[in-house]
Amino acid sequence: MKRIATCLVALGLSTGAALAETAPGDVQFDDYGAIEASLTGTPGNAEEGRKILTTKSMGNCVSCHAADAYADVPFHGEVGPWLDGAGSRWSAAELRGLVVNAKMTFEGTVMPAFYKVDGFTRPGDAYTGKAAPADLPPILSAQQVEDVVAYLMTLTDE
Amino acid sequence: MKINKMLSTAAALTAFVIATPVLADEDAELVINGEIEIVTKTAAPAHLDGHLSEIMSGWRFRSDDTQAMEMDDFDNPGMLGAEAGFEQFETVMGSEGKSCMDCHDGVESLANVRPTYPKWNDDKEQVYTIQMQINDCLTERMGADAQKYDNSTMLNFEAALASVSRGMPVNVAIDGPAQSTWEQGKEMYYTRYGQLDLSCANCHEQNYGNMIRADHLSQGQINAFPAYRLKNAQLNGAHSRFKGCIRDTRGETFNAGSPEFVALELYVASRGNGLSVEGPSVRN
């Protein structure tokens, strides 16, 4: 389903609001860095989000964040806070803002922006060391951001 | 409200750590061959006031096994490069029929070089790295071809030069004519590069001692270069390391030997003023 939607958008065939994606430049943050509206209108898939969060070639959040919730994944980073309980500490809108561009919540944070395509110094073409293409894609797609947010919302305190 | 969240985050941070790789003994001391004492931790130079109070060699952040390999020249594969460098030093190269020995009294006579480079070159009116100087000797004095930056011949020369300076304090000049280059390097150090928007300081000043996935972040010092890396089983130059670190920010890198990396090398070297020269070192 997600694949089909992405293909339709890529082909310029998207019809109707359900398939409309908010482009990185059009995202609306509130004063605290939260993003109320879903980027895709399609609910996120938490299981997919867990995969994105813990996979090097995807979100690779685990390189900086540890959590008991994904203790099965080796080598958790210590650069950012533990993510257990993030779904209780933050609302979905706040988490969406953190994943899209954490600098809108935490000024100057080392956490990268995952749905942003401009305003960088010497952006590269992924990890090749070469210059970025003119149409640099965001690190995560709009739906991947929604998937990560859905997973984070499952990390509640009990 | 935000404050509450930060507090609970801090609480979460104190929980135990899961599945980390073998960690370094950050309090170990380095003595090479049972005789060369290496300063791997000391007070930071004055220009780092407000940034770092203590400076530490990357050696302190490596695993016990990797640390041990550097404690004996027979176990340090980087010393093979240094030996090759000694041989190169005595080898006639180029149209003039000369070796380095025609102008210098052996590698040992150049023990002041590694601690003080990069350094202002009066004739060339720019900051010179060791490799730039070696290329001048090769092309202008010996009639030989220039070597490519960070190639194995260059790194062997550098390893030989470093090896005779081990234990001497890094002491690069940052004032006088070198100052503007130093400032350029400093600005680069704090520039956030690439799509991940990360500066050298984000990882090596704010987060040294922390794990970033399976890597234990050091202060990114270059007192120990060239470094033999177990990962690629060869000597690696500082510029190649810089390149890898900028690439890892999803950034467009600069080239080894570029004026930008010369400036960055001077600045990063100056952050290690007071640590011992340690190369050729062993790293993972």
Side-chain angles (χ1 to χ4, degrees):
Chain A
M1 168 61 201
K2 191 194 110 213
R3 281 243 173 72
I4 294 170
T6 315
C7 290
L8 289 176
V9 171
L11 292 169
L13 294 177
S14 100
T15 48
L19 294 178
E21 263 185 27
T22 307
D26 297 335
V27 174
Q28 298 288 327
F29 295 88
D30 74 12
D31 290 348
Y32 301 99
I35 302 167
E36 212 50 61
S38 160
L39 301 179
T40 60
T42 306
N45 173 340
E47 208 177 307
E48 187 62 22
R50 186 189 206 268
K51 190 169 136 207
I52 295 163
L53 203 129
T54 52
T55 304
K56 189 167 182 196
S57 58
M58 301 172 95
N60 200 20
C61 315
V62 62
S63 69
C64 289
H65 293 280
D68 286 333
Y70 44 86
D72 55 308
V73 178
F75 306 138
H76 296 192
E78 303 173 319
V79 172
W82 282 59
L83 291 182
D84 295 305
S88 301
R89 288 192 290 279
W90 306 93
S91 68
E94 289 169 326
L95 290 169
R96 187 176 293 113
L98 278 165
V99 177
V100 167
N101 183 358
K103 289 180 185 85
M104 304 299 280
T105 304
F106 298 110
E107 203 192 326
T109 184
V110 302
M111 177 160 156
F114 289 87
Y115 196 64
K116 184 169 179 274
V117 293
D118 50 20
F120 303 113
T121 304
R122 294 181 75 90
D125 187 0
Y127 292 104
T128 61
K130 301 207 167 66
D135 56 341
L136 177 71
I139 298 171
L140 296 180
S141 70
Q143 192 55 45
Q144 284 179 316
V145 171
E146 294 303 325
D147 294 345
V148 169
V149 170
Y151 175 63
L152 292 170
M153 286 302 286
T154 69
L155 305 184
T156 50
D157 293 323
E158 266 131 323
Chain B
M1 183 191 157
K2 292 267 137 128
I3 289 172
N4 276 337
K5 283 175 182 167
M6 290 311 288
L7 285 178
S8 49
T9 304
L13 263 171
T14 59
F16 59 93
V17 175
I18 340 161
T20 46
V22 203
L23 274 189
D25 178 357
E26 280 180 44
D27 294 320
E29 296 294 342
L30 174 56
V31 180
I32 297 172
N33 300 335
E35 59 179 17
I36 312 172
E37 287 179 18
I38 303 288
V39 175
T40 55
K41 184 181 192 172
T42 190
H47 71 81
L48 285 177
D49 273 0
H51 292 278
L52 288 179
S53 53
E54 236 176 13
I55 50 174
M56 281 179 255
S57 161
W59 182 82
R60 291 219 172 212
F61 299 85
R62 306 285 50 99
S63 70
D64 291 348
D65 290 349
T66 311
Q67 284 187 342
M69 289 179 78
E70 211 183 293
M71 298 175 83
D72 188 320
D73 283 354
F74 288 108
D75 298 328
N76 179 347
M79 284 309 289
L80 296 172
E83 271 166 41
F86 277 97
E87 264 169 48
Q88 286 169 198
F89 203 84
E90 297 180 5
T91 305
V92 172
M93 299 177 191
S95 58
E96 305 299 304
K98 287 181 182 157
S99 78
C100 310
M101 290 297 275
D102 283 276
C103 296
H104 303 284
D105 211 3
V107 181
E108 289 80 1
S109 72
L110 297 170
N112 276 323
V113 170
R114 179 66 281 178
T116 55
Y117 272 71
K119 184 182 179 176
W120 180 256
N121 180 317
D122 266 332
D123 290 343
K124 299 293 160 78
E125 298 193 328
Q126 55 177 310
V127 167
Y128 252 46
T129 62
I130 289 185
Q131 295 194 29
M132 290 160 82
Q133 181 57 55
I134 291 174
N135 263 340
D136 275 12
C137 292
L138 285 170
T139 58
E140 294 174 15
R141 295 180 174 156
M142 297 161 75
D145 289 337
Q147 293 291 326
K148 238 181 129 218
Y149 219 90
D150 274 0
N151 76 7
S152 62
T153 304
M154 273 303 187
L155 294 172
N156 290 343
F157 272 131
E158 250 196 281
L161 284 164
S163 72
V164 298
S165 308
R166 287 183 296 177
M168 292 170 69
V170 175
N171 184 22
V172 297
I174 64 173
D175 51 5
Q179 192 180 340
S180 65
T181 307
W182 180 80
E183 263 152 21
Q184 183 195 347
K186 179 175 181 181
E187 185 170 332
M188 287 179 71
Y189 196 87
Y190 290 98
T191 297
R192 301 180 68 148
Y193 289 110
Q195 196 173 12
L196 296 184
D197 210 23
L198 293 169
S199 68
C200 313
N202 286 149
C203 286
H204 295 297
E205 185 172 292
Q206 281 172 251
N207 279 295
Y208 71 85
N210 284 332
M211 300 300 297
I212 187 160
R213 200 78 206 251
D215 284 315
H216 195 201
L217 280 169
S218 73
Q219 290 184 345
Q221 299 281 2
I222 53 172
N223 62 302
F225 276 76
Y228 181 91
R229 291 190 68 188
L230 302 169
K231 184 179 162 183
N232 61 10
Q234 63 184 30
L235 284 173
N236 295 261
H239 291 200
S240 303
R241 182 80 233 197
F242 297 163
K243 213 173 160 175
C245 282
I246 293 189
R247 182 201 59 215
D248 287 349
T249 68
R250 283 179 173 256
E252 180 190 359
T253 60
F254 300 91
N255 289 324
S258 63
E260 290 85 359
F261 276 171
V262 172
L264 188 61
E265 181 181 340
L266 173 61
Y267 178 69
V268 178
S270 80
R271 294 175 67 95
N273 271 354
L275 292 172
S276 295
V277 171
E278 191 191 305
S281 62
V282 185
R283 297 290 186 264
N284 53 320

